[in-house]
Amino acid sequence: MNPKEVKILLCDDSLLVRKKLKSALEEQGYTGILEAADGLEAVALCQEQKPDLVLMDIVMPRKDGIEALKEIKEFDKNIHVVMVSSVGTQGNLIKALKAGADNFMQKPVTIEALNELIHKMAQDRREA
């Protein structure tokens, strides 16, 4: 899997955060970028689009990241879900990992950390 062909879903209730990440990923050559404003949209997009990677905020309206994570993992365990959290939400990270999150990242997410994560995910898929 060419990392640049990875389908990535950015799920955050902050439009600014999504636009910033999308722009940084596009600058790196990624083209398959989807966006969701909350967990409800994320679950629907995962069912329709089957992304390889979901970057999921934890605290969101309508459906939080942990509930969305549980639903996504119920219908597709192969979708790599990474929880993204602000400082002060460590308790939520533990809940997310117990619910099946593949990894977590602290906000603000850097493009370097994201690239590293995508390459590792692609490598894990090749070895599986």
Side-chain angles (χ1 to χ4, degrees), residues 60-77:
M60 295 181 289
R62 297 202 307 163
K63 182 175 293 200
D64 71 25
I66 293 172
E67 285 306 308
L69 163 69
K70 288 176 186 171
E71 285 184 39
I72 291 165
K73 288 295 184 173
E74 268 177 36
F75 65 79
D76 192 340
K77 293 198 180 326

Side-chain angles (χ1 to χ4, degrees), residues 11-12 36-45 56-57 60-65 67-69 71-72:
C11 181
D12 198 302
D38 59 44
L40 216 57
E41 284 182 25
V43 171
L45 274 169
M56 178 95 65
D57 189 17
M60 295 181 289
R62 297 202 307 163
K63 182 175 293 200
D64 71 25
E67 285 306 308
L69 163 69
E71 285 184 39
I72 291 165

Side-chain angles (χ1 to χ4, degrees), residues 66-99:
I66 293 172
E67 285 306 308
L69 163 69
K70 288 176 186 171
E71 285 184 39
I72 291 165
K73 288 295 184 173
E74 268 177 36
F75 65 79
D76 192 340
K77 293 198 180 326
N78 294 321
I79 295 176
H80 199 88
V81 181
V82 176
M83 305 310 284
V84 181
S85 166
S86 308
V87 176
T89 53
Q90 264 65 23
N92 283 334
L93 286 175
I94 292 163
K95 278 189 216 164
L97 291 169
K98 284 183 180 170

Side-chain angles (χ1 to χ4, degrees), residues 3-10 22 25-26 29-35 49-53:
K4 302 295 189 214
E5 294 170 4
V6 173
K7 197 184 289 186
I8 303 167
L9 171 59
L10 305 175
K22 183 176 183 176
L25 286 165
E26 286 174 342
Y30 295 97
T31 56
I33 302 167
L34 308 163
E35 293 183 53
Q49 301 287 326
K50 304 274 189 266
D52 301 294
L53 172 66

